[in-house]
Every structure is written in structure tokens, then in C-alpha cells.
């Protein structure tokens, strides 16, 4: 198979810990997501990918990636942000002051994934949604905080995975140096019901639309969420999920398409059955990569693959 027709398998991770639940006090307070449970999830991801010789794009919330002492050094900035967007930032300021940060600290996970050769991307400074509904003042404050924290981390990411997949303020982010993003999910007439029905399609094809170049941005297709077997999604048998992913991967190998898997590492905490799904799908994908039928680029690398 020629390199031009080779398909690709991309993995992107939305890494946020409890920063993604600032506006969900019950999720923060129930103690399910903690440093210990997150450590198990992140260790499992890194070890599984390492065992299968695969890499990923890991998009970290900047504040999650930084050690706590750096966040406390920037407390004045968080307090200023709370004046702009109090509903989101006031609970963060309170946490930084009272030290109740179990589940909020991902610096070890960040360093581990960086050492594993993952692309280190951006998932917001604090996971504040960056949609057009968010004020420019709040987005600028996020970007200023991110710049300060990225200086501490020694990395300036150029790839963005938008918090909650809400794409917006592209001009502001472009001026800040970002160049690649994962597009928001496709909208279906039936909404979430349609997404649920898609999960039962064991003949799902790969994505044949390559990344687009729009208004100075490389835009990766939205990809597919690895099923979170909880709630209504819990009715989907694991065997069906695996068959669906294998169908997409085979199709990508045969037709030169792309399969983009994404999820949040903390999903493994709230739905432990995902661990086995991830293992089986990545094991199957790694064999296709090993024999040269698929490549395994990061998001940034994927935009330069032969069309």
C-alpha cells in the first residue's frame, strides 16, 4: 500500500480533572474523581498506548497541568478573572485559598504524557467555555493566564481542543499563536438520540474528509467519542462498541480514511468499563499500524498528511 493511500488513527484526550466541572458542584463534591482515581486512569492510558506503540494528542487545561504553587503564585490573576466572570472563577479562587484541590492537580500526568512523546495541546486555561457566548474580556483573561502558565511549563501549544467542544473566538486564539483545532461535533436533527443510534452501527465507515484549512486554521474533523458506558449509553454492549471501532479502522486501512478517537481520561473513573474497550480497540489499531496499513499521527501531524 502506498503512503499516499495509508489511513490514519488519531487519538485526542481532553485532560481537565475537576477543572471541567467548576459549574457542577455535585460532581466535585461526590469524591469519585480524585488524585488517586485520576492517577489510575492516566497511568492506564499511558501504559496501554506505550504497550501498543501508539501516541496521542493530550490537550491539557493549563491550570490542571501546573503545580499548585504556580497557581497560588497567580492568585491575583484568578481574582481579577472572578471580577469578569464570577460564576466560573469565584469557586476556583475559593479552592485555591482553602486548598481543597483533590482532583484538580494534573502536573504529574502532564509530565508523564510529555515524556511519552505525546503532542501537548491546549484545552483552555481553566476550562471556561470559549464559545461566542463567552465575553471577549473573559477569553482574553484566559489567554493571558495561559501565556503565564505556559511560560512556567516551558511549552507553547499551537493545537486547541475547545472546552466542551464549543468553538469560538477564533481570531483571538489565532493572534495568540494557535493554528490547529478539533472541530465541534456534527449536529443531528434528533440530537443525542441520533448519536446513541450511531453507536449501534457496527458497519460504521472511517472519515474520508481530510482536515480543512479555513481562515488561517487547520481544522480536524470532530472524530468519534469512545463510548462512555453509563446512563443511556450504558445500554450499548461492549461487543457492539468494539465491532463499530474495528469497522472504522478496517475501512480506514482499506480506503485511506481517518479514525479519530477522543475522550476524557476521567471518563475511565466514572465508567471503568471503558478501560477494556480502550485496550481492545487500541490493540486492534496497533496491529494495523505495525503492518503499515495505518499511521498514528498527532492532531498537528495529521494536517500535513498526503490528501
Amino acid at each position: 500500500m502506498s503512503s499516499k493511500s495509508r489511513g490514519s488513527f488519531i487519538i485526542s484526550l481532553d485532560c481537565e480533572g475537576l477543572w471541567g466541572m467548576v459549574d457542577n458542584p455535585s460532581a466535585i463534591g461526590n469524591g469519585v474523581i480524585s488524585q488517586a482515581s485520576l492517577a489510575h486512569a492516566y497511568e492506564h492510558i499511558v501504559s496501554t498506548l506505550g504497550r501498543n506503540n501508539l501516541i496521542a494528542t493530550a490537550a491539557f487545561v493549563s491550570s490542571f497541568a501546573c503545580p499548585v504553587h504556580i497557581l497560588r503564585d497567580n492568585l491575583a490573576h484568578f481574582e481579577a478573572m472572578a471580577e469578569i466572570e464570577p460564576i466560573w472563577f469565584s469557586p476556583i479562587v475559593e479552592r485555591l485559598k482553602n486548598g481543597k484541590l483533590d482532583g484538580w492537580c494534573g502536573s504529574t500526568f502532564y509530565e508523564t504524557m510529555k515524556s511519552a512523546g505525546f503532542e501537548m495541546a491546549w484545552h483552555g486555561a481553566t476550562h471556561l467555555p470559549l464559545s461566542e457566548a463567552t465575553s471577549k474580556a473573559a477569553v482574553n483573561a484566559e489567554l493571558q493566564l495561559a501565556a503565564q502558565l505556559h511560560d512556567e511549563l516551558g511549552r507553547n501549544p499551537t493545537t486547541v481542543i475547545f472546552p466542551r467542544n464549543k468553538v469560538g473566538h477564533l481570531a483571538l486564539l489565532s493572534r495568540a499563536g494557535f493554528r490547529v483545532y478539533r472541530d465541534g461535533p456534527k449536529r443531528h436533527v434528533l440530537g443525542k438520540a441520533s448519536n446513541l443510534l450511531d453507536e449501534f452501527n457496527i458497519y460504521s465507515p472511517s472519515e474520508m474528509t481530510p482536515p480543512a484549512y479555513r481562515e488561517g486554521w487547520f481544522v480536524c474533523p470532530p472524530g468519534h467519542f469512545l463510548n462512555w458506558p453509563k446512563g443511556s449509553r450504558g445500554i450499548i454492549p461492549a461487543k457492539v462498541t468494539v465491532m463499530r471501532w474495528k469497522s472504522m479502522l478496517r475501512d480506514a486501512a482499506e480506503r485511506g480514511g481517518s479514525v479519530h478517537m477522543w475522550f476524557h481520561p476521567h471518563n475511565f473513573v466514572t465508567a471503568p468499563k471503558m478501560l477494556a474497550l480502550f485496550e481492545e480497540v487500541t490493540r486492534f489499531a496497533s496491529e494495523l499500524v505495525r503492518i503499515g496499513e495505518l499511521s498514528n499521527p498527532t492532531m498537528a501531524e495529521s494536517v500535513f498528511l498526503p490528501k
Side-chain angles (χ1 to χ4, degrees):
M1 182 176 289
S2 69
S3 61
K4 287 190 176 180
S5 62
R6 188 165 58 159
S8 61
F9 177 49
I10 304 161
I11 304 168
S12 60
L13 309 170
D14 298 21
C15 304
E16 60 202 49
L18 286 176
W19 289 88
M21 298 159 217
V22 169
D23 54 354
N24 187 349
S26 62
I28 292 174
N30 64 23
V32 173
I33 297 174
S34 64
Q35 293 302 123
S37 63
L38 286 172
H40 177 70
Y42 279 83
E43 287 165 8
H44 185 86
I45 291 166
V46 173
S47 64
T48 299
L49 293 180
R51 192 164 56 249
N52 289 292
N53 295 309
L54 299 173
I55 59 170
T57 292
F60 270 77
V61 169
S62 310
S63 298
F64 184 53
C66 279
V68 173
H69 74 271
I70 292 176
L71 301 182
R72 289 184 174 138
D73 288 346
N74 285 277
L75 180 60
H77 193 101
F78 284 101
E79 290 175 328
M81 293 168 84
E83 295 293 323
I84 300 169
E85 196 82 28
I87 293 176
W88 189 265
F89 293 111
S90 293
I92 293 172
V93 170
E94 183 180 352
R95 290 264 164 189
L96 291 175
K97 287 182 175 179
N98 65 27
K100 295 180 179 179
L101 295 167
D102 188 19
W104 296 74
C105 308
S107 60
T108 300
F109 316 141
Y110 179 89
E111 293 300 329
T112 299
M113 288 185 163
K114 183 174 71 172
S115 296
F118 293 6
E119 177 192 11
M120 307 311 291
W122 191 57
H123 197 40
T126 67
H127 204 267
L128 175 74
L130 302 175
S131 68
E132 295 299 333
T134 300
S135 71
K136 285 186 177 180
V139 175
N140 276 321
E142 279 269 307
L143 290 169
Q144 290 167 13
L145 176 63
Q148 291 174 228
L149 299 183
H150 291 160
D151 282 346
E152 297 283 354
L153 292 168
R155 287 283 175 116
N156 288 303
T158 57
T159 296
V160 182
I161 293 178
F162 282 88
R164 297 183 180 168
N165 287 313
K166 295 183 176 180
V167 177
H169 295 283
L170 291 173
L172 289 179
L173 270 64
S174 178
R175 286 198 289 273
F178 296 101
R179 296 290 177 264
V180 181
Y181 72 89
R182 189 181 71 201
D183 211 354
K186 298 174 184 175
R187 293 185 178 182
H188 296 282
V189 175
L190 297 177
K192 290 184 178 180
S194 181
N195 292 332
L196 191 62
L197 289 173
D198 286 345
E199 293 290 337
F200 286 95
N201 182 4
I202 61 173
Y203 303 107
S204 292
S206 61
E207 174 65 64
M208 297 304 295
T209 304
Y213 185 72
R214 299 198 298 256
E215 299 176 357
W217 283 91
F218 291 102
V219 185
C220 297
H224 298 276
F225 182 59
L226 179 63
N227 187 50
W228 180 67
K230 192 131 181 184
S232 60
R233 285 177 167 267
I235 66 173
I236 302 165
K239 183 178 180 179
V240 169
T241 296
V242 171
M243 291 172 70
R244 178 174 184 252
W245 280 92
K246 286 184 176 180
S247 171
M248 290 190 283
L249 290 163
R250 285 194 199 96
D251 185 71
E254 291 168 5
R255 298 197 297 146
S258 176
V259 178
H260 186 157
M261 171 193 286
W262 72 272
F263 58 90
H264 311 83
H266 68 253
N267 293 144
F268 286 8
V269 175
T270 54
K273 290 180 180 179
M274 279 184 76
L275 295 166
L277 295 177
F278 181 64
E279 284 184 358
E280 189 160 355
V281 173
T282 52
R283 185 165 56 245
F284 183 80
S286 72
E287 179 59 19
L288 293 174
V289 172
R290 187 188 69 79
I291 63 178
E293 293 191 356
L294 288 180
S295 63
N296 171 226
T298 64
M299 280 178 58
E301 291 168 344
S302 74
V303 302
F304 298 110
L305 292 177
K307 305 295 190 289

